[in-house]
Amino acid sequence: MIDAYDWRGGREAILRFGPVGTPVVMLLLPLFEEHNRTRAFGVGVLRALAARGIAGALPELPGQGESLVPTEALRLADLRAGAAAAAAKLGRPFIASIRGGALLDADAEVAGRWRLSPQSGADLVRELRRLRAQGDGLTVAGNAVSEAQLGELGDADYAPGRVVRLETDPAPADRRLAGPPLWRRAEPGNDSAFIEVVAADIAEWIATCGG
């Protein structure tokens, strides 16, 4: 089902999955090129949660996905305002985020936060600068990224929550899962086994949280 939410800059879409009247998981995807690489995976996770009786939602944040907001005009405050407005529309959901998506829910009222391989703003900016330097020096995978945007992201960090990482990732984590780093692939991809592993962990976490 396609729903919508309003934020101070206009109206954006939300894809809704699963039953009504159950805990809702709102998924925040990474930014820029990683957004496209992980979108099919994220939708797969939300469908796997729906099969477990847990509702899901994938909001289009300003400047991301199908949003009409120009990427070059976007600010971190806009992304966070969009995430907060989507969460308010959903009624205090559980947040699941992937990579840099963890930086976007700081202003949202949520029931809990689950992170897959979260990045600090400083780590994200280092990666974006590297990718921009390898390309035309101005854009990242066709997305214009300004110094003002990089400065805001570089100062950002993510709020505490359950942190899940891949087995190959040495950074601190509450649990490590076997799966591929889909955000590193040259083209968008998916992995059905990893979808089920991630959905199972989120479902167990929600049950522990009292969802």
Side-chain angles (χ1 to χ4, degrees), residues 110-193:
V110 303
R113 292 174 168 90
W114 182 98
R115 317 292 201 188
L116 175 60
S117 298
Q119 285 180 296
S120 68
D123 287 342
L124 174 58
V125 167
R126 276 194 293 272
E127 192 160 311
L128 291 174
R129 288 189 185 281
R130 177 180 60 79
L131 292 170
R132 193 173 66 171
Q134 290 175 348
D136 59 10
L138 298 172
T139 63
V140 177
N143 297 292
V145 182
S146 70
E147 284 300 316
Q149 290 170 317
L150 293 177
E152 292 171 353
L153 288 169
D155 292 334
D157 208 346
Y158 53 88
R162 176 172 173 78
V163 173
V164 175
R165 297 187 183 275
L166 303 182
E167 290 180 336
T168 53
D169 188 341
D174 297 302
R175 185 180 179 187
R176 301 189 190 281
L177 301 177
L182 296 170
W183 46 88
R184 297 290 189 197
R185 292 182 173 176
E187 298 293 337
N190 221 335
D191 188 295
S192 57

Side-chain angles (χ1 to χ4, degrees), residues 80-91:
R80 287 180 166 177
K89 172 69 181 261
L90 297 169

Side-chain angles (χ1 to χ4, degrees), residues 13-187:
I14 307 179
L15 296 181
R16 303 286 295 266
F17 303 82
V20 177
T22 67
V24 179
V25 173
M26 184 174 92
L27 178 62
L28 298 177
L29 296 176
L31 298 171
F32 306 117
E33 87 285 358
E34 289 191 3
H35 183 282
N36 295 327
R37 292 175 184 171
T38 58
R39 186 178 179 87
F41 169 72
V43 169
V45 169
L46 293 178
R47 286 176 173 159
L49 288 171
R52 289 168 167 81
I54 299 171
L58 179 61
E60 297 285 13
L61 295 186
Q64 302 297 296
E66 300 300 320
S67 172
L68 298 179
V69 176
T71 303
E72 59 269 23
L74 194 61
R75 292 293 180 264
L76 177 60
D78 296 330
L79 289 162
R80 287 180 166 177
K89 172 69 181 261
L90 297 169
R92 203 166 177 266
F94 291 91
I95 292 288
S97 63
I98 302 172
R99 301 275 284 168
L103 302 172
L104 308 182
D105 61 39
D107 299 331
E109 292 291 332
V110 303
R113 292 174 168 90
W114 182 98
R115 317 292 201 188
L116 175 60
S117 298
Q119 285 180 296
S120 68
D123 287 342
L124 174 58
V125 167
R126 276 194 293 272
E127 192 160 311
L128 291 174
R129 288 189 185 281
R130 177 180 60 79
L131 292 170
R132 193 173 66 171
Q134 290 175 348
D136 59 10
L138 298 172
T139 63
V140 177
N143 297 292
V145 182
S146 70
E147 284 300 316
Q149 290 170 317
L150 293 177
E152 292 171 353
L153 288 169
D155 292 334
D157 208 346
Y158 53 88
R162 176 172 173 78
V163 173
V164 175
R165 297 187 183 275
L166 303 182
E167 290 180 336
T168 53
D169 188 341
D174 297 302
R175 185 180 179 187
R176 301 189 190 281
L177 301 177
L182 296 170
W183 46 88
R184 297 290 189 197
R185 292 182 173 176
E187 298 293 337

